[in-house]
Amino acid sequence: MQRPLPTQKLIPLNTNQLNMIKKRESPIEIPADEFKKLGYQLIDSISDFIENVGEGSVTTGETPKQIQTLLGDEFLPENGTSVEELISKTSDLLFNHSLLNGHPKFFGYITSSPTPIGALADLLAAAVNPNVGANILSPMATAIEKQTVKWIAEFIGVSPNYGGILVSGGNMANFTAFLAARTAKAPKSLKTDGLGSISGEMVFYCAETTHTWVEKAAVLFGHGTKAIRWIPTDVDNKMDTTILFQTINEDLKAGKQPFLVIGNAGDVSTGVVDNLSAIASICKDRELWFHIDGAYGIPAAAIPQYKKLFDGIQEADSIALDPHKWLYAPLEAGCTLIKNPQHLLDTYSAHPVYYNFDKNTDEPSHNYYEYGFQNSRGFRALKIWMAFQQVGKSGYIEMINNDIELSKLLFQEAEKHLELEAVTQNLSITTLRYVPSDYSKEGNAGNKYLNELNEKLVNELQQGGKVFLSNAIVSEKYCLRCCIVNFRTSGKDILETIDIIVEEGRKVHDSLQLIL
Ligand SMILES: *Cc1c(COP(=O)(O)O)cnc(C)c1O
């Protein structure tokens, strides 16, 4: 191709420039026919992986050192390698040396089996790669995220007028709301004057069972952990709202600035839902921001027979929930819902000169960078949006309800068993512990030996790979904790889990007896 060269000044193009005028060759590009071939192969192997995910162990139990050895410690490669080899090697590393939360006997912490459609959605999202920070950069993806947020609000049964934003998870969803609450309730403009301008210490309230994000928030956002008022729980493990009310009044009398109360809708240890309507009326009375941490549990509000348990959620100024928990989205997906989304704009919006995001439309653009921490943002909404449509509201209700039923089954079977003590059952979390037949099941709270035994049992089970569960301390009892956010778990898995726990419990007991 002949280019007209400038007449005034002759600047010759170098060879590289000339070549790139002909055709740019980028080493990272994969030619279409190869992309198809390798893509089909990868989809085939992912499909086999998903089909057989329940056949083997939940985890190989390999040590970090063994994993490091497998991976090798080569330096950054100087030159490229074949994509085919790379995909095959990487698939092997991940399929065969991961903890598989897609396994039907994975009940640990609160991570779900990922939806297969979510895997496809992530591939699609990555291929198009919209930057969902600004509407102009992601016209369709922004609209899909708005609809997804609206659907999430509709699903849990609050007004679809709640707005919000998708974030990376529960911590970020709670942080996003925390700062909106602070901006809204601070007596002065925090944006211009900062925390230092406020005379009374800003304090906030939550049950003592609240997730550790509140400590991170207190530290990161400049309050210090002394600003947290940990409210004791009552016999049902719910926040004691009488003490809450008293504490707020004492703080007011002492010249503090209470601004926020956090209610749990499914606390992280036992799944208890606080008395949300009582908290809501205290907040109304004292003009405090009412936030709900529903990271795990709030999707259960969609189920007609559990709706009552969540009375009061319509009153929340903000709600945090994790689609990567009980909506089974692949990591990562959290969501902040806000009754009046203007509070997010008040907190997060800024208009630098180098953003030309608002100019060319009649209506104001919905730019997600103004609603939260992130600027450039990935397309998290797609995996949630597609899954909602794949199964509908009814499909989700069925899956969540079945998780709860299975958790109840586990509790009942533990109750029946002579060597198991069923401790709590809320939503889809069951806590239980192994009690050897030479101990009685009752009256052993705080028993040092049983706590030691069950702690060791959790470790053995987590390493063993037959089932994966985590732990909780409930009324001084060290418990095994099974949280079922797993659409692959069946009743058979539950019965087998009982057997696995008892068998391993006996072994651990025997081994400890030898030491004693
Ligand atoms: C899981 C959980 C969190 C933290 O969520 P991440 O997604 O892990 O950041 C916070 N609160 C509750 C109640 C949770 O269950």
Side-chain angles (χ1 to χ4, degrees):
M1 189 173 70
Q2 206 61 41
R3 289 193 109 220
L5 294 173
T7 45
Q8 302 98 320
K9 218 172 171 193
L10 251 175
I11 306 173
L13 301 181
N14 68 33
T15 330
N16 197 18
Q17 289 167 332
L18 284 168
N19 282 338
M20 285 199 288
I21 288 170
K22 278 194 221 132
K23 187 174 183 347
R24 166 104 188 251
E25 302 272 356
S26 296
I28 204 95
E29 195 66 270
I30 303 177
D33 50 348
E34 199 185 336
F35 187 90
K36 276 186 202 166
K37 193 185 104 196
L38 299 177
Y40 287 136
Q41 281 172 10
L42 178 60
I43 292 285
D44 281 348
S45 62
I46 291 173
S47 176
D48 291 345
F49 164 71
I50 293 176
E51 191 183 1
N52 299 314
V53 72
E55 299 299 316
S57 301
V58 186
T59 172
T60 59
E62 288 159 300
T63 63
K65 203 160 174 211
Q66 287 170 314
I67 293 286
Q68 186 58 57
T69 308
L70 261 165
L71 186 62
D73 58 356
E74 279 121 56
F75 290 111
L76 173 69
E78 183 62 34
N79 296 307
T81 190
S82 119
V83 179
E84 182 157 19
E85 250 170 65
L86 188 58
I87 290 181
S88 134
K89 194 178 103 180
T90 312
S91 308
D92 173 61
L93 285 177
L94 288 172
F95 292 156
N96 299 319
H97 305 280
S98 292
L99 175 137
L100 306 179
N101 47 36
H103 192 290
K105 287 197 187 70
F106 176 81
F107 312 124
Y109 302 99
I110 315 185
T111 309
S112 62
S113 266
T115 59
I117 200 164
L120 296 175
D122 266 356
L123 178 62
L124 178 54
V128 180
N129 199 32
N131 184 338
V132 200
N135 186 65
I136 192 176
L137 301 175
S138 57
M140 182 52 76
T142 292
I144 288 177
E145 179 159 342
K146 269 171 81 178
Q147 188 167 57
T148 305
V149 168
K150 199 177 97 180
W151 284 353
I152 290 173
E154 242 183 288
F155 183 73
I156 63 169
V158 296
S159 155
N161 294 331
Y162 275 72
I165 185 166
L166 295 180
V167 295
S168 57
N171 268 47
M172 290 306 292
N174 283 304
F175 292 166
T176 303
F178 181 94
L179 291 184
R182 196 174 81 170
T183 307
K185 294 296 178 186
K188 290 201 178 160
S189 167
L190 284 181
K191 247 185 168 169
T192 51
D193 302 339
L195 270 183
S197 68
I198 294 165
S199 57
E201 184 194 1
M202 290 188 85
V203 293
F204 63 100
Y205 307 80
C206 59
E208 61 191 2
T209 47
T210 305
H211 189 277
T212 179
W213 74 262
V214 292
E215 280 158 319
K216 258 193 194 171
V219 173
L220 291 175
F221 304 135
H223 298 273
T225 50
K226 281 199 317 212
I228 309 173
R229 300 288 184 262
W230 297 103
I231 306 297
T233 47
D234 61 19
V235 285
D236 298 322
N237 291 320
K238 294 176 193 239
M239 184 201 281
D240 186 323
T241 48
T242 312
I243 300 182
L244 169 68
F245 193 60
Q246 283 165 1
T247 314
I248 293 171
N249 289 338
E250 282 160 21
D251 279 331
L252 284 169
K253 239 187 245 152
K256 311 275 183 197
Q257 294 274 352
F259 72 103
L260 161 73
V261 182
I262 299 149
N264 281 315
D267 91 60
V268 63
S269 289
T270 61
V272 161
V273 180
D274 282 333
N275 186 344
L276 301 174
S277 54
I279 299 174
S281 44
I282 291 173
C283 286
K284 203 174 242 171
D285 192 69
R286 288 291 176 260
E287 294 184 9
L288 305 181
W289 183 282
F290 174 31
H291 172 71
I292 297 179
D293 181 2
Y296 150 62
I298 218 162
I303 301 177
Q305 66 264 42
Y306 299 111
K307 202 173 166 55
K308 192 112 198 62
L309 197 58
F310 295 87
D311 264 358
I313 61 173
Q314 311 81 350
E315 310 292 322
D317 294 297
S318 57
I319 298 171
L321 77 152
D322 267 347
H324 69 210
K325 288 178 174 167
W326 228 349
L327 296 181
Y328 316 103
L331 295 162
E332 307 162 340
C335 177
T336 304
L337 293 173
I338 300 256
K339 187 172 235 161
N340 177 2
Q342 182 61 37
H343 291 299
L344 290 179
L345 290 171
D346 292 347
T347 309
Y348 296 102
S349 179
H351 293 276
V353 289
Y354 45 82
Y355 280 173
N356 186 36
F357 289 161
D358 291 306
K359 305 282 152 59
N360 304 320
T361 51
D362 302 335
E363 31 174 339
S365 309
H366 197 89
N367 297 322
Y368 272 113
Y369 86 89
E370 297 180 79
Y371 287 80
F373 283 81
Q374 278 183 283
N375 199 60
S376 297
R377 300 174 68 249
F379 192 9
R380 290 196 183 91
L382 192 62
K383 57 198 172 192
I384 307 164
W385 187 77
M386 288 179 79
F388 264 143
Q389 292 175 86
Q390 184 198 353
V391 299
K393 186 175 174 187
S394 64
Y396 265 109
I397 286 179
E398 179 192 322
M399 292 186 287
I400 293 170
N401 196 31
N402 283 343
D403 284 344
I404 297 175
E405 285 300 311
L406 289 171
S407 168
K408 287 181 174 169
L409 174 67
L410 182 64
F411 186 85
Q412 284 165 18
E413 291 299 312
E415 231 175 2
K416 275 199 301 207
H417 202 287
L418 291 174
E419 291 159 70
L420 292 175
E421 179 186 347
V423 180
T424 63
Q425 199 289 314
N426 294 286
L427 301 182
S428 67
I429 297 180
T430 298
T431 60
L432 68 157
R433 60 179 188 163
Y434 179 73
V435 180
S437 45
D438 35 344
Y439 281 76
S440 89
K441 284 212 238 174
E442 271 85 43
N444 278 315
N447 181 303
K448 222 171 132 253
Y449 176 71
L450 289 183
N451 283 351
E452 188 189 341
L453 167 64
N454 280 280
E455 183 170 357
K456 185 138 197 291
L457 179 54
V458 168
N459 292 335
E460 292 298 325
L461 290 169
Q462 287 190 342
Q463 283 298 305
K466 288 185 184 154
V467 60
F468 196 97
L469 40 74
S470 47
N471 63 294
I473 313 278
V474 188
S475 323
E476 297 176 45
K477 296 174 187 173
Y478 194 100
C479 295
L480 318 185
R481 168 182 168 286
C482 296
C483 177
I484 306 174
V485 283
N486 194 333
F487 57 86
R488 292 211 178 92
T489 305
S490 70
K492 187 163 164 279
D493 292 309
I494 297 299
L495 300 183
E496 287 170 2
T497 295
I498 290 278
D499 293 342
I500 295 166
I501 292 173
V502 171
E503 191 184 325
E504 196 59 42
R506 285 176 189 157
K507 272 194 218 156
V508 173
H509 179 50
D510 288 348
S511 73
L512 288 174
Q513 294 307 302
L514 287 177
I515 302 168
L516 288 177

